[in-house]
Amino acid sequence: MIEKTGPLYLQRLVQMLCICAPLLWLAGCTGVTVGKISSSDYLADRRNDILTTGRLGQQSVSTLIRIGFRTQYQCTNYIDACRNRVSESDQVSDEERLSLLSELWVYDAIHSEETEPGVDKSILVDKWLNAARSAYGYLFFTQRDPEERAFEDRQTQVRDYYNYATQRTFLLMFDIRKEAGFETDQAVWAKRAIKGWQVLVDMTDIHLPPESDVPEDLIAAGSLTFSGIEHIYRRDGLGSELVVVGRAPQGRKVSGLPFEQTSYPVVTGVIEFSGRSLEEVMGNNKAVLRLLDPYRSAKLSLAGKDVPFAGNFTSGYGLWLARGDFTRQSWRSFFGLEGGIDEPRIIMMQPYDPDRRVILMLHGLVSGPAAWVNTANDILGDSRLRRSYQVWQVYYPTNVPIVVTHAEIRRVLRDTLDVLDPTRTAQASKDMTIIGHSMGGILARLMVSESGDTFWDAIQKKYSLDEEHFERLQNDFADYLHFSPIKEIDDAIFIATPHSGTPEADTTLSRWMSKLISLPTNMVSQLKMQSHIATLNDQQREVINMIVDEWGTANSLTSLSTYNQFLLLAADIPISPTVRYHSIIGVTEPDVPLFAADDGYVPYVSAHIEGADSETVVTSSHSVQASTEAINVIRAILAEKVRRNSGSGH
């Protein structure tokens, strides 16, 4: 026992400390303490890596330590030597080596882009291709298949390295191609050496419209944010989500065709590396950059395996709306000002697909494609509907009277199908669904209705024309006043549609506004010329004036009047018995009896239509088509149609 007092005690205590200090130091090196991680850091701790924090991830650092590096900086400060040492090390598995190499190449490429302004793009492409190749080797050519690692965080990280490296490679290759001048062959972008690489760009899977054959730009879909769009719809998987920016602004006729395919198609880029084994893949510098259409399929074959590939279904649509200037165009068209549009056209939300049914959308008064922003986006974002449908929008000037607009839209649709499917054998030319909002609903109803002699009987009853002149009028105005249901359409959805007009069009303000509306002079003169007016007597001129001035040039606003004779007659013509039709009606005050309710513009009694397969009343203002409840109803109707047609073998 040690005496605890006096000099002897102190002397012995010092001796013991001198003897035990090294042991205590050694014990301290192996001591263990414990702590807790917060719930907010749980996922971040597992997913921290070069893409999320700018530093190597925990698993990469652990692998480096096993190889002999004390810190990650001992590696990253001498990146080339470090990669060589990692490649040659037999202390780690192929999975560990390739995942680490991929992250090191990503680190190197990002560091070069951030710290070396003006660096040669081909040098960057080389680094990104090496990053993608290492990730590709990990994913497809290591001992375990991707399915065996499906729940591992590390595989998700390596997939992200591949996807990001693919994105950067495509964007840099596009810049190189643009700087060198575009090739005319759409199937191949470039076949050239990038620092020893043999790179081929394959576009055979996609079908770009003429306006996008030589794009203005290529944009990473994930780099875009939008206001005004409620949801961003995308699909996880392999590959980079991209938007091709066409040369022509959307909404402008550039091709002479009655339709336009989107100038902002979305595509997915993947890189396939040559080789059937890990040694072959890592031992050559051959790569194929493939562009895929995410609408046409959801899987691709890589390295003998079917894998899901990524897709973005909102960014192209959002970019189109953001750059289209449709609101300004619509108002200028309404008042007949320069900078508007003067005739209808069909705009396709994605490149034409002959194997998917068409949804044809018609906007309302003083409106345009932006009216359908969330409706169309939610349809395209629904994987069930996306496989079966493609969205076409009719963009038309809303200063033109309904009787004329209806005839012109019929012509544009017919001409579009004549170009795309003259024999009408494609699925796209069958079983169409037409959806119209407000005035667009009236137009949609006319397109599925049988006029018979309704309008001519009204004219003859009022004027009692002789047979010769009556037949002449019928011939001259047949396109406007005599029509049958469009046989390609078998479903219709009418939204907030004033079938029998709206009292709002009869107000003093509306009458004043209608005087400001300018009709296209070419349309008025065409109608006058069509009538042979110079050869008619006074009574016949009166008839022509009624058709041309009252029905044909009354302008769109007065066309919606509850006193408009054409609209009142049109409300009574029958809808085709082969067409299923539905009504979605808004009311601003749900507690008011329906017979007295309205959406602030259209009364319920005008929007209600007998014989509908379904009628849904939602609490909403006149922009019913934008409400979540209405969109869900539309999606349900479209999904039911898919089930119905699948059951019948169509």
Side-chain angles (χ1 to χ4, degrees), residues 411-424 429:
R411 176 188 59 78
V412 167
L413 179 60
R414 181 186 65 244
D415 292 349
T416 296
L417 294 177
D418 285 346
V419 172
L420 298 174
D421 183 27
T423 61
R424 302 296 196 272
S429 299

Side-chain angles (χ1 to χ4, degrees), residues 264-293:
Y264 301 93
V266 291
V267 296
T268 300
V270 297
I271 304 178
E272 185 173 8
F273 294 90
S274 178
R276 297 184 179 181
S277 67
L278 181 59
E279 291 73 20
E280 290 181 2
V281 169
M282 302 303 293
N284 74 83
N285 284 1
K286 296 180 180 179
V288 178
L289 278 62
R290 294 170 57 186
L291 285 176
L292 306 170
D293 183 345

Side-chain angles (χ1 to χ4, degrees), residues 177 183-191 199-204:
R177 179 184 179 227
E183 294 181 6
T184 56
D185 185 359
Q186 173 177 302
V188 177
W189 269 12
K191 187 177 183 181
V199 178
L200 176 71
V201 181
D202 179 7
M203 298 173 61
T204 55

Side-chain angles (χ1 to χ4, degrees), residues 496 584-588 597-600 602-604 607 616-621 624:
I584 301 176
I585 303 171
V587 296
T588 55
D598 60 54
D599 63 15
V602 177
Y604 167 84
T616 304
V617 178
V618 302
T619 303
S620 172
S621 63
V624 189

Side-chain angles (χ1 to χ4, degrees), residues 302-479:
L302 277 181
K305 298 178 177 65
D306 288 335
V307 296
F309 69 92
N312 190 300
F313 307 100
T314 297
S315 291
Y317 179 51
L319 196 61
W320 170 65
L321 288 172
R323 295 186 177 182
D325 196 24
F326 293 115
T327 301
R328 178 177 173 274
Q329 279 185 13
S330 298
W331 278 102
R332 296 190 73 82
S333 297
F334 184 65
F335 289 111
L337 301 174
E338 185 178 354
I341 60 172
D342 55 11
E343 60 182 345
R345 66 202 61 172
I346 288 175
I347 304 177
M348 301 173 185
M349 298 297 94
Q350 60 275 339
Y352 170 69
D353 186 345
D355 298 324
R356 284 183 294 153
R357 294 180 176 89
V358 169
I359 300 170
L360 192 67
M361 294 181 168
L362 285 79
H363 59 78
L365 188 68
V366 201
S367 188
W372 299 110
V373 52
N374 288 308
T375 316
N377 185 47
D378 283 3
I379 291 172
L380 297 176
D382 187 321
S383 60
R384 302 169 304 163
L385 302 181
R386 191 169 59 239
R387 288 192 294 267
S388 300
Y389 295 103
Q390 56 191 314
V391 175
W392 295 4
Q393 293 194 23
V394 180
Y395 185 31
Y396 64 95
T398 62
N399 58 334
V400 180
I402 289 173
V403 64
V404 176
T405 299
H406 165 237
E408 287 296 294
I409 292 176
R410 279 178 172 261
R411 176 188 59 78
V412 167
L413 179 60
R414 181 186 65 244
D415 292 349
T416 296
L417 294 177
D418 285 346
V419 172
L420 298 174
D421 183 27
T423 61
R424 302 296 196 272
T425 55
Q427 180 61 69
S429 299
K430 305 171 185 175
D431 307 326
M432 291 185 180
T433 298
I434 190 168
I435 306 177
H437 171 247
S438 192
M439 188 170 75
I442 296 174
L443 294 166
R445 179 180 175 175
L446 292 172
M447 294 177 73
V448 296
S449 297
E450 180 71 61
S451 70
D453 292 326
T454 298
F455 301 105
W456 294 117
D457 288 347
I459 291 172
Q460 185 68 319
K461 181 178 180 181
K462 184 173 182 178
Y463 293 102
S464 302
L465 295 172
D466 63 71
E467 184 175 348
E468 176 186 353
H469 289 102
F470 187 58
E471 288 180 358
R472 180 190 293 181
L473 286 174
Q474 287 179 310
N475 290 332
D476 289 344
F477 292 95
D479 289 344

